[in-house]
Structures are given as C-alpha cells and as structure tokens.
C-alpha cells in the first residue's frame, strides 16, 4: 500500500485548498507575531491529523530508551576503509526517520501536506482553538516542515548544512501562516516559547539531529499533546544526549542554552529543577553527585538510519535464518543489529514495557482535558 496516499489533514467540516508560498526571508517584527497570541475565549474546533499519524508510524523507528552507555565506534564497511553510516556514540538513542526509503512522490506529498496545514489557518481561527489544539498545530507544522526539507535535501550528513533559498534551514521563512512568513525557529521561539509557560513544550520540536528531542511515532493532537511531551521529555532528560557527567560537572544538551531565555533565567537552578521533574533513578543520582550545568552536549548528525550518505555496498536481510530479497546498506544492517542487541539487554534487565507518567500540574477541571500551559 502507498506510504502516504494523499497526506492531507482532515479538518472537521472544512475542505482544504493548498496554496504554495514563495520562498523569502523578510524582516519579521514582534507586531507581526501578535496575531498568534492565544485567545482568552477558546472554541471547540479541532483538527484531525490522522494521516500524519499514519505517516509517522510508517517512517519513524525508535531506538529504545537510553542505557546511558555510549556506543563504540563501528567497524568500517566490508571491503572498504571508508566509514559509512552512523558513528555517533548517541546513535542508539532517540528515533530515526527512514529518509533513504522515501521516493519522489512521497517527498512531494510532504510539501503538499505542509501547504495544507498552512491553509488550515485560512479556514479556522488558530488563535481561538484550545491551547492544546494550538500547541499541536504548531508542533506538527514545525515537524512536517523539517521532515519535508530534510527529505528534499537528503543525502545530507547534518541538517544544519541545509539551506532554503540561500538561508539556513532553521531560519528560512518558507512557512506561511495567515500571510506571515515564518521559519522553524520563529515557530519555536517567537510563538510557542513566548506563549506557553512550561518548558516541556521544547521537547515536541524535532530538529532532524540525533542530539535533539525525538520525533514521536504519533502525530500530536489536543488529547495526546501533554502525554507525548512528557514521554519525549523523559526520554531526553534520561539519555546521554540530554544529561551526562564530566569530572563532577553536570553537562547538558546545547538545546537547553537555546531555551534558557524563555524558561531558565537562573540557568543552573531553574534547569536542575526542571530536570528533576523527569529524572529516573540513575539521572537523579547523576544530578545529586554533580555540580553546575554546562550546556555543551551536542550531536548534529542527521537522525536517519543511513547516516546521511548512500553506501555503495548492500547486504541481504535474513529472517529466521533465511535470506530475503530485501537488501539494505551494510552500515544500516549493522546499526539495526546493534539496536537488536540493545533491546535484548533491555529485556535482560527487565526494563520491558512502557510507563507513561506525569508530574506536571496542568489546569483543567473534572471532565475537561488538561491543557499544557
């Protein structure tokens, strides 16, 4: 069956009409963004992201929870001294997108879907949706745009090398909402970070890099946004790419430095309080025995399965000891083998199953969905 047959959001009681924006990067002032401040009198309109949800389940692969063990450097591919695939010590954390398996039609459908999401704001008053509905819209639009542009540029080793109209991807204003051109950074920092008080929102935004929060295998919506953000926060905080130790000092992701002006004004104190909310037993011990909070942890390699390059050698996949006709690059096969070994270790440690928890106090009365503030 086709991976993404049409990739159109189904807006309740509204048909979608796509309109392609022109690429530009004009000056953007705060007055332009005032229109995106959430209304104080929200309505009950909803947006259905079920098709994007299906897409995520088909193209995103989880590497499982972090074991807090850096992966060693893999062996070069057979028959060559060149190193293909991922070499990052964080390569067994987070999620991966199967960019190398996407054909031109699927990639084009990402652009179509992004334009449809943009046009949603011409049909529905985004600012008058519930806060959770708005938050889901902005996260999905940001992540769709990132998947679209990385898919168009692939193979590429680091998403930060991608430009759109000559402007770095994160700052390129190729997204148009209500006639205002926005960049991925604008959506994160100038709309969501400014209008939502809880730093948990930062974990919804996927940057295409191994070192950032994971792309979830579900689309965000008003009902699941709180749950998915907590899941993503716990995954990131309790991973090496989120927190680690060096010489008694707590080292944290560079993404916390970016979010500091909005959520962590007293950086060490505020960040440690935030990390404690999501810390598991081992991370709690890490926080206790370290001092400081140095935002230097980074991994900018692409969060895909093939490492952002096409390998010329392939390997047959075996199932039950029988070779199949499906062939993948040797480096990808090696990564998936490492992933399987990791999962076996998780089983051996008795860490199977998924536990969803929340220690965030969200407003909402009985019978109403709590909203992420």
């Amino acid at each position: 069956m086709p991976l993404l047959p049409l990739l159109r959001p189904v807006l309740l009681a509204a048909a979608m009409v796509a309109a392609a924006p022109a690429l530009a990067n004009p000056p953007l002032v705060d007055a332009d963004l005032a229109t995106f401040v959430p209304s104080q009198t929200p309505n009950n309109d909803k947006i259905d992201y079920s098709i994007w949800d299906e897409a995520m389940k088909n193209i995103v692969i989880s590497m499982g929870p972090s074991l807090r063990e850096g992966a060693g450097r893999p062996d070069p591919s057979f028959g060559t001294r060149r190193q293909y695939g991922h070499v990052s010590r964080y390569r067994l954390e987070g999620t991966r997108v199967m960019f190398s398996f996407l054909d031109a039609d699927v990639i084009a459908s990402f652009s179509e879907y992004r334009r449809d999401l943009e046009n949603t704001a011409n049909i529905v008053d985004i600012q008058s949706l519930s806060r959770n509905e708005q938050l889901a819209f902005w996260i999905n639009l940001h992540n769709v745009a990132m998947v679209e542009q990385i898919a168009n540029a692939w193979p590429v080793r680091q998403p930060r090398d991608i430009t759109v109209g000559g402007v770095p991807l994160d700052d390129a204003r190729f997204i148009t909402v209500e006639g205002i051109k926005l960049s991925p950074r604008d959506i994160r920092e100038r709309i969501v970070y400014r209008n939502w008080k809880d730093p948990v929102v930062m974990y919804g935004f996927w940057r295409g890099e191994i070192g950032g929060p994971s792309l979830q295998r579900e689309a965000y919506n008003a009902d699941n946004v709180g749950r998915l953000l907590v899941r993503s926060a716990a995954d990131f905080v309790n991973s090496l790419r989120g927190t680690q130790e060096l010489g008694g000092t707590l080292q944290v992701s560079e993404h916390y430095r970016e979010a500091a002006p909005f959520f962590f004004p007293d950086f060490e104190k505020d960040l440690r309080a935030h990390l404690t909310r999501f810390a598991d037993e081992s991370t709690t011990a890490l926080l206790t025995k370290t001092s400081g909070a140095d935002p230097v942890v980074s991994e900018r390699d692409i969060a895909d399965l093939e490492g952002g390059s096409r390998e010329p050698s392939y390997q047959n996949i075996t199932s039950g000891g029988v070779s199949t006709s499906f062939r993948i690059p040797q480096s990808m096969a090696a990564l998936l083998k490492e992933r399987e070994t990791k999962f076996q270790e998780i089983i051996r440690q008795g860490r199977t199953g998924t536990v969803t928890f929340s220690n965030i106090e969200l407003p909402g009365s009985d019978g109403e969905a709590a909203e992420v503030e």
Side-chain angles (χ1 to χ4, degrees):
M1 67 182 278
L3 178 60
L4 304 172
L6 291 175
L7 272 183
R8 288 186 177 275
V10 182
L11 181 64
L12 298 185
M16 311 305 300
V17 180
L23 294 177
N25 201 40
L28 189 65
V29 297
D30 289 345
D32 295 325
L33 298 170
T35 185
F36 299 125
V37 174
S39 169
Q40 297 300 311
T41 56
N43 60 39
N44 295 318
D45 291 343
K46 290 185 177 294
I47 302 173
D48 183 352
Y49 301 100
S50 57
I51 295 180
W52 185 245
D53 188 79
E54 178 185 352
M56 294 297 92
K57 288 178 170 58
N58 279 280
I59 69 171
V60 179
I61 293 179
S62 172
M63 302 305 286
S66 173
L67 294 178
R68 285 204 167 277
E69 299 174 358
R73 189 172 182 84
D75 295 329
S77 299
F78 180 76
T80 178
R81 293 184 178 180
R82 180 172 177 179
Q83 184 73 64
Y84 288 95
H86 285 293
V87 299
S88 169
R89 67 190 297 260
Y90 310 112
R91 65 181 179 274
L92 297 179
E93 296 187 348
T95 57
R96 299 289 175 274
V97 179
M98 299 190 294
F99 285 113
S100 58
F101 294 96
L102 305 180
D103 61 26
D105 289 340
V106 171
I107 295 173
S109 69
F110 291 144
S111 297
E112 181 182 7
Y113 187 74
R114 188 254 301 167
R115 291 191 292 267
D116 284 346
L117 283 180
E118 293 171 339
N119 195 56
T120 301
N122 299 327
I123 299 171
V124 170
D125 185 0
I126 297 297
Q127 300 89 319
S128 293
L129 299 174
S130 71
R131 290 184 65 87
N132 277 11
E133 197 72 58
Q134 290 182 62
L135 183 56
F137 171 79
W138 290 119
I139 292 174
N140 286 330
L141 177 58
H142 175 283
N143 293 348
V144 167
M146 293 298 289
V147 169
E148 170 206 7
Q149 295 300 325
I150 295 173
N152 276 322
W154 199 91
V156 59
R157 191 75 180 186
Q158 296 190 342
R160 297 190 189 200
D161 293 337
I162 299 171
T163 61
V164 181
V167 180
L169 172 57
D170 204 33
D171 295 304
R173 295 197 171 108
F174 62 95
I175 305 163
T176 304
V177 180
E178 297 183 4
I180 298 175
K181 292 188 178 298
L182 302 167
S183 69
R185 186 190 300 277
D186 290 331
I187 291 176
R188 291 194 313 272
E189 298 184 9
R190 305 182 73 179
I191 297 177
V192 172
Y193 289 5
R194 286 188 179 183
N195 293 298
W196 274 261
K197 296 181 297 185
D198 196 316
V200 74
V201 298
M202 66 179 287
Y203 300 102
F205 295 107
W206 185 70
R207 311 285 285 276
E209 301 174 344
I210 290 177
S214 296
L215 183 64
Q216 295 297 308
R217 299 189 69 244
E218 300 177 54
Y220 286 83
N221 59 51
D223 296 325
N224 71 15
V225 64
R227 171 176 61 85
L228 292 184
L229 289 174
V230 168
R231 175 194 294 174
S232 187
D235 168 71
F236 192 74
V237 168
N238 297 303
S239 71
L240 285 178
R241 68 195 197 282
T243 56
Q244 54 185 275
E245 174 194 5
L246 180 64
T249 298
L250 176 67
Q251 294 189 326
V252 298
S253 168
E254 64 178 357
H255 291 289
Y256 292 119
R257 179 175 56 234
E258 177 185 276
F262 305 95
F263 303 122
F264 314 118
D266 187 344
F267 186 69
E268 180 180 346
K269 178 183 176 181
D270 295 341
L271 179 60
R272 280 179 166 269
H274 169 74
L275 297 175
T276 299
R277 293 166 57 189
F278 303 101
D280 60 17
E281 184 177 352
S282 62
T283 303
T284 298
L286 174 67
L287 294 173
T288 300
K289 70 179 182 179
T290 57
S291 61
D294 194 6
V296 295
V297 179
S298 68
E299 179 48 84
R300 299 177 179 182
D301 282 355
I302 187 172
D304 73 345
L305 279 177
E306 201 166 341
S309 62
R310 296 190 186 278
E311 184 177 357
S313 56
Y314 288 79
Q315 179 173 320
N316 286 333
I317 293 297
T318 60
S319 178
V322 178
S323 179
T324 70
S325 59
F326 184 63
R327 304 175 70 223
I328 65 173
Q330 292 182 32
S331 59
M332 187 187 298
L335 179 65
L336 293 175
K337 184 176 180 180
E338 286 185 293
R339 174 180 180 269
E340 176 63 23
T341 300
K342 173 185 173 180
F343 282 3
Q344 292 299 321
E345 177 62 19
I346 290 173
I347 293 172
R348 188 189 69 79
Q349 294 181 7
R351 297 176 56 184
T352 56
T354 299
V355 177
T356 300
F357 68 94
S358 175
N359 55 3
I360 306 174
E361 294 184 3
L362 302 177
S365 58
D366 291 342
E368 296 180 349
E371 292 191 324
V372 177
E373 289 290 330

